Amino acid sequence: MNQLNWPQDIPAELRIRLTVLSGLSRLHQVPPQVLACICRYTSNYGKTGLAINPQGFGGYFGQHVGWQYAGGVSFTASQLVDPAMFTQQAITAAATLATYHLPLNQALRMYATGNPM
């Protein structure tokens, strides 16, 4: 597999945390760079604060308030906007992608839209 690049603007702390989670095999074989890109796209790494949009999606990885994710994990509104929840949100996003059992491009589409095509 080719080495994936990190987004250039990722905060060093988040890069380190994702690298450590990957090294501990907590990301379900999802490359940490992929999670970094999701985090950039859905929350701009939380740089300006975390929020929940009117549709109920928010946090670092665009997860929905109250939805049940892989492993039975769900988040409250307060958990999605809590920076201390980064690790749990990252692990849950990775587990969710892994449960799709799809090629990465389709898994990302499924994660973002609910439709792999």
Side-chain angles (χ1 to χ4, degrees), residues 66-105:
W67 282 12
Q68 193 167 40
Y69 290 94
V73 175
S74 62
F75 296 103
T76 64
S78 62
Q79 289 173 320
L80 285 177
V81 297
D82 182 353
M85 293 296 292
F86 175 84
T87 296
Q88 185 59 53
Q89 290 179 32
I91 291 168
T92 301
T96 300
L97 281 169
T99 63
Y100 296 150
H101 302 289
L102 294 168
L104 182 58
N105 65 330

Side-chain angles (χ1 to χ4, degrees), residues 40-60:
R40 168 66 174 93
Y41 175 76
T42 58
S43 70
N44 194 28
Y45 308 114
K47 287 181 180 178
T48 58
L50 297 170
I52 297 169
N53 71 18
Q55 293 77 32
F57 295 94
Y60 284 101

Side-chain angles (χ1 to χ4, degrees), residues 13-27:
E13 175 189 349
L14 298 186
R15 181 177 176 162
I16 291 166
R17 291 172 78 179
L18 289 171
T19 300
V20 168
L21 288 171
S22 180
L24 294 172
S25 299
R26 300 290 311 273
L27 299 181

